[in-house]
Structure formats: structure tokens, C-alpha cells
Amino acid sequence: SGRLLDPFGGLADLESRRLATVSEKNLADDPLRCLRAARLFATHALAPDARTSRACRSFAPALARVASERVQGELSKLLEVQDCSAALAWAWRNGVLEPAFGLSIPGEKWKRIAPRMATIDAIPRRTLPGERRRRLRLAALAGALGLSPAEAAAGLRGRRWSTEEAGDVARLLELSEQAASGLSGD
């Protein structure tokens, strides 16, 4: 008949640019949806509402039990997006990033990571395609966490990133260290 059926108020959520969970049980059944919420925030400018954020905080620790390949796939999509710093900040505040990466990201380190991600957001898409943007973000995250190139590569491989990608991230960290050591106090 062409009549719109909207039993959960999704149209109003879309008009308000709001990401709302239909049921917290969905997040319990598949905690990867917590990470997907961050991606939808970045890709569709849908800000998770308070209920969704609370539910993600509750179920995010279960991401550690989700297959690494699935988590890596969702992270890849998120890290390739032009503007993902706000979504990453939401994911960090709601406890989604730590189990997704299998790393501890304390507040003082997040304060160093956030501006780096915003700087990467500012690079025009045509200048830096998604795959390179993802690798740059991974290197920025690893560098801000104080990981050595070898630690970053091993950690990425352990989380099912390709050997090539892990190697590229390690090389970016090496280049960053070389550049930093070559800078004078001026």
C-alpha cells in the first residue's frame, strides 16, 4: 500500500540524527553492535542516545569475546571514515575502544590521541584514501600509547590485521621516531 510501518519510531530517530537501540538484548546477543554504533556515528552522523550509550557501556566488555576478525573488520570501516574523531571519542568514553583493540587506553593517553585523530580528520579525502587514513590512525594511536613499532605490529597481527598492514603501521612509527629524534629544541 506504500504505507510506512515504523513500530519503533525509527523515522523520528533519523530525522533527529539519533542512533537508538531497539532492544538492549540485541547488544547482549552481539556486542559487536557497540562498535558498529561508533561506525554509524561516523558514517551517518547518527549520535547514540543516552540509552544506547549506557547499553554500550554495559556490553562493551563482551567485545573481548567476539571473533577478532569481526572486530577488526568493523574497526577497519570506522578508521577509514573521513571524520571519525567524534565517534572514536564516544567509543572511548563508553568503554568500546579498549576491548576492541585489546589495549588499556587511560584518560591521560586519550588526551594525546584525540587531537591526533582530529588532525587526521582534517586531511582531505582526495589526498588520503581510506586505507591510508586507517593506517595513519592506527600508527597515531600506537604512538600515543607509547607502543614501539615491534609492539604495535605484534599487537595488530594478534588482532587479525594483515602482516602488511601491521608492517606499514610499524614503519610509520619508525619514521615518526626518526623525525622526532631529528628535531632540535627549537
Side-chain angles (χ1 to χ4, degrees), residues 79-142:
L79 295 173
E80 288 181 4
V81 175
Q82 171 77 42
D83 298 314
C84 80
S85 60
L88 288 172
W90 174 87
W92 177 77
R93 282 191 313 274
N94 289 286
V96 176
L97 280 188
E98 289 183 338
F101 279 108
L103 295 168
S104 173
I105 308 173
E108 70 275 1
K109 297 223 177 176
W110 180 255
K111 288 178 184 175
R112 290 198 325 246
I113 295 167
R116 293 176 188 197
M117 297 301 152
T119 298
I120 296 168
D121 283 357
I123 301 170
R125 177 82 179 163
R126 66 184 177 280
T127 304
L128 192 64
E131 180 180 305
R132 291 180 59 206
R133 187 177 302 276
R134 180 182 69 231
R135 290 176 181 183
L136 190 56
R137 283 190 172 118
L138 287 169
L141 176 68

Side-chain angles (χ1 to χ4, degrees), residues 1-63:
S1 70
R3 190 171 137 240
L4 176 67
L5 301 177
D6 186 12
F8 300 107
L11 189 57
D13 288 337
L14 286 174
E15 288 171 353
S16 298
R17 310 302 305 160
R18 177 177 49 240
L19 182 63
T21 185
V22 172
S23 167
E24 291 182 18
K25 184 181 180 317
N26 294 337
L27 296 172
D29 290 344
D30 186 4
L32 185 67
R33 290 179 174 143
C34 298
L35 186 55
R36 189 165 297 135
R39 181 173 58 86
L40 292 172
F41 185 170
T43 58
H44 293 78
L46 298 173
D49 64 7
R51 180 175 173 239
T52 301
S53 295
R54 275 191 310 276
C56 285
R57 276 192 301 280
S58 295
F59 296 108
L63 266 171

Side-chain angles (χ1 to χ4, degrees), residues 139-140 142-143 147-153 166-182:
L147 300 177
S148 71
E151 290 169 331
D168 287 350
V169 169
R171 183 68 180 135
L172 284 168
L173 284 172
E174 290 168 358
L175 291 170
S176 177
E177 288 173 0
Q178 289 171 7
S181 69

